[in-house]
Amino acid sequence: MQYHAFVIKYAEIGVKGKNRYIFEDALVRQIKRVLSKCDGTFEVSKVAGRIYVAAEGFDLDETVSALQTVFGITGICPAVSIARDGENRLPDEDGICRAVIDFVDGVYPDKNKTFKVRVRRVDKSYPKDSMEMAAEIGARILDAYKEMKVDVHTPQILINVEIREQLNIFSEVIPGPGGMPIGTAGKAMLLLSGGIDSPVAGFMIAKRGVDLEAVYFNAPPYTSEKAKQKVVDLAGVIARYTGKIRLHVINFTEIQMYIYEKCPHDELTIIMRRYMMKIADILAAKTGCMGLVTGESIGQVASQTMQSLMCTGEVVKDMPVYRPLIAFDKQDIVDISLRIDAYETSILPYEDCCTIFVAKHPVTKPRLDVIERHEENLSERIDELVKTAIETDEIIEITK
Ligand code: ATP
Ligand code: MG
C-alpha cells in the first residue's frame, strides 16, 4: 500500500484545557525533530485537534520507528490521502467510495474480515451527513467484497474516512510510546551508571516530558575508557527519545581513594553514594534541574535497603530525588531495558567504580548518625576534593 500521510493520535495531552497548545506545539516540535533524520520529505501540521504529517519518498518502517520515539504519541496511523483538485474540490461521494474500496484492497488482501466505517466530515459541502456517508461507504464495500461483514461493535477493521482539507483514509493504529512530549516539564539530572537500572529510570522520567542531563562518576584508571564509552552509548539510547543529553563525567577517583583510606570499608558504598548524590545535587542546581533521578529499587542490593536509601537521600538538600523504579522487580526493569534497546549495552562486562572498592560484607542497615560520625574522618580534604571534581567536570554533548 502506498501511504501519503500519517494521522498522529495523542491522548493525555488532549485534556490540558487552556495549556493544550503548549503540549501540541511541543509534540509537533518533537515530531519534526525525529523526521528530520529520516529519508523523505515531511510536512507536519496541527489541524483541529489532530496532528497530520504529509509524507513523500519515505520508508514506512523507518518513519514509524522514528515516530515511536516521540513521547506523547499514542497512535500512528499510516493514511492514504487525496488532495483537492485545481478547483479546490475533493472527490465526490462515488469517488470517495472507490478510494475506500481501493484502500481496503491494498491493505487487506484477505477479505475474510469484519469491519466498520467511521466518517468524520469537516467539509460540510456533501449532501449526506457523516452517518449516512458511513452507511453508503459500508454498503459499497459489501458489494465489492462479498466475504466482508459489518460489525459495528467489535470490528476487526475500523476504517476511518476523514473529509478535511484533504481526504484521509486509514485503519491501522500502530502504538506510540505514550507519555508527554519532551519539553513540557522542565529538566532533571539523571545519575547514569553503566548498569541496567539507571537508563530505564531516565527513560521513564523523560517519558513524562522531562528533559534530562546526566552525570556519570568515573574512576580512572580503575575504570576503563570502555566503561565510560558504555555510559556514553547508554546516554545515546535515551537521547533517541529526548533529542539531546548533556553528560557530565565527573572524575571520582580521588574522592573514592580518600574515602577508602579514611572510612570503614563496610560503609564505603554508602559513603561513596552520599558523595555522588551531593555532587549531583550541586551540578543539578547549577544547570537549572528540578530533581535528581536514580535507578534505585528497594532491596535490590545492600546499598538500596530502606536504611541505605535514607542515608543516601539525606544529603540532597536542594531538590527531590525521583526513583521511578523504586517498587519494580528486576525482571520488569529488564523488560523495559530490552524494549528500549539499552539491555545489550547495559550487560557489557566493564567494571564499575563502585564494584572495585566494594567491601565483601557491606552494611545493609547503616545508621545515619554512625555514617556521619565516620565521615568526619574526611573533614580535612573532602571539600577541596569535591570542589575540584566539579571544576574538572567533562561535558559531553550527546545528540541523536
Ligand atoms: P544501575 O543498574 O543503574 O547501575 P545498580 O542496580 O547497579 O543500578 P547501584 O550500583 O546500587 O545499583 O546504583 C544505584 C543508583 O546510583 C544507580 O541506578 C545510579 O542512578 C546511581 N549510580 C551508581 N553508580 C553510579 C555512577 N558510577 N555514576 C552515576 N550514577 C551512579
Ligand atoms: Mg550499577
Side-chain angles (χ1 to χ4, degrees):
M1 191 77 216
Q2 184 56 55
Y3 294 110
H4 323 98
F6 296 89
V7 172
I8 303 294
K9 296 197 169 193
Y10 48 94
E12 209 161 348
I13 63 179
V15 297
K16 290 284 171 185
K18 273 198 307 220
N19 291 332
R20 178 166 161 165
Y21 76 95
I22 297 173
F23 293 81
E24 288 175 337
D25 288 353
L27 187 55
V28 167
R29 251 190 334 270
Q30 293 300 319
I31 291 172
K32 285 183 177 167
R33 175 180 67 76
V34 301
L35 293 179
S36 72
K37 303 201 168 72
C38 294
D39 281 339
T41 50
F42 302 94
E43 206 179 303
V44 186
S45 52
K46 197 174 93 171
V47 271
R50 270 215 185 292
I51 289 171
Y52 177 79
V53 182
E56 247 177 81
F58 62 97
D59 178 81
L60 185 63
D61 290 342
E62 182 193 45
T63 310
V64 168
S65 302
L67 290 170
Q68 283 180 317
T69 65
V70 177
F71 294 135
I73 293 181
T74 54
I76 301 156
C77 314
V80 162
S81 186
I82 297 175
R84 289 173 185 265
D85 66 14
E87 285 160 46
N88 197 30
R89 280 185 316 217
L90 288 175
D92 62 10
E93 204 180 297
D94 179 58
I96 292 176
C97 289
R98 279 188 288 120
V100 177
I101 287 167
D102 287 348
F103 171 87
V104 170
D105 199 32
V107 183
Y108 303 100
D110 172 12
K111 304 287 183 302
N112 202 356
K113 295 249 171 5
T114 61
F115 76 99
K116 172 183 174 175
V117 177
R118 185 161 66 195
V119 173
R120 283 213 190 147
R121 204 180 47 131
V122 174
D123 182 334
K124 303 283 182 200
S125 64
Y126 290 82
K128 289 185 178 160
D129 70 18
S130 301
M131 296 289 283
E132 291 166 335
M133 296 256 307
E136 172 70 22
I137 297 168
R140 291 279 300 270
I141 292 174
L142 290 172
D143 265 353
Y145 307 118
K146 304 290 179 221
E147 311 93 299
M148 292 187 73
K149 287 192 184 61
V150 172
D151 180 345
V152 292
H153 300 297
T154 51
Q156 289 168 308
I157 312 171
L158 177 61
I159 304 166
N160 291 276
V161 179
E162 295 191 345
I163 307 167
R164 296 173 172 265
E165 194 35 46
Q166 56 298 95
L167 172 70
N168 298 322
I169 308 167
F170 60 91
S171 59
E172 202 186 347
V173 186
I174 302 163
M180 310 279 263
I182 292 290
T184 55
K187 195 164 68 171
M189 179 67 73
L190 169 67
L191 283 86
L192 182 62
S193 69
I196 295 170
D197 304 324
S198 44
V200 172
F203 168 85
M204 288 178 68
I205 291 292
K207 187 161 177 264
R208 299 309 301 165
V210 179
D211 249 315
L212 292 179
E213 297 222 359
V215 54
Y216 167 58
F217 296 91
N218 197 17
Y222 301 100
T223 59
S224 65
E225 199 51 37
K226 279 183 174 166
K228 175 174 155 190
Q229 185 57 42
K230 177 177 166 183
V231 175
V232 169
D233 292 344
L234 288 170
V237 169
I238 305 169
R240 279 184 68 212
Y241 296 86
T242 59
K244 57 174 192 337
I245 287 191
R246 264 174 14 130
L247 173 66
H248 302 259
V249 180
I250 296 286
N251 189 324
F252 202 57
T253 313
E254 289 224 30
I255 294 174
Q256 216 163 358
M257 299 295 284
Y258 191 47
I259 299 171
Y260 191 72
E261 189 189 318
K262 299 281 185 188
C263 300
H265 288 185
D266 60 349
E267 288 169 5
L268 276 183
T269 311
I270 294 293
I271 296 177
M272 262 161 41
R273 269 301 133 65
R274 278 165 61 87
Y275 279 96
M276 285 185 187
M277 293 292 243
K278 225 177 250 187
I279 292 172
D281 189 25
I282 296 169
L283 273 183
K286 250 179 43 174
T287 52
C289 292
M290 291 187 276
L292 302 185
V293 181
T294 75
E296 290 161 312
S297 163
I298 294 173
Q300 203 188 77
V301 286
S303 58
Q304 296 176 30
T305 60
M306 286 187 70
Q307 291 85 346
S308 301
L309 288 166
M310 223 173 111
C311 288
T312 50
E314 189 269 342
V315 297
V316 183
K317 305 292 186 198
D318 295 325
M319 57 191 76
V321 180
Y322 294 107
R323 301 179 176 92
L325 308 180
I326 199 69
F328 275 44
D329 291 347
K330 192 73 182 185
Q331 189 56 48
D332 300 332
I333 301 170
V334 166
D335 289 346
I336 300 176
S337 174
L338 284 166
R339 214 174 66 221
I340 65 172
D341 280 337
Y343 189 73
E344 290 292 308
T345 309
S346 285
I347 58 170
L348 291 172
Y350 306 126
E351 64 292 327
D352 180 68
C353 71
C354 307
T355 45
I356 286 165
F357 292 88
V358 80
K360 282 205 180 60
H361 302 288
V363 280
T364 52
K365 292 180 183 156
R367 274 181 39 193
L368 186 56
D369 55 342
V370 175
I371 296 284
E372 279 175 337
R373 197 167 65 239
H374 291 150
E375 280 181 355
E376 282 166 17
N377 300 350
L378 304 169
S379 61
E380 198 182 328
R381 289 186 61 213
I382 194 71
D383 288 349
E384 166 212 326
L385 291 178
V386 166
K387 186 160 168 274
T388 308
I390 292 171
E391 281 168 0
T392 56
D393 173 15
E394 177 197 1
I395 298 176
I396 305 176
E397 304 269 350
I398 290 157
T399 49
K400 276 282 146 120

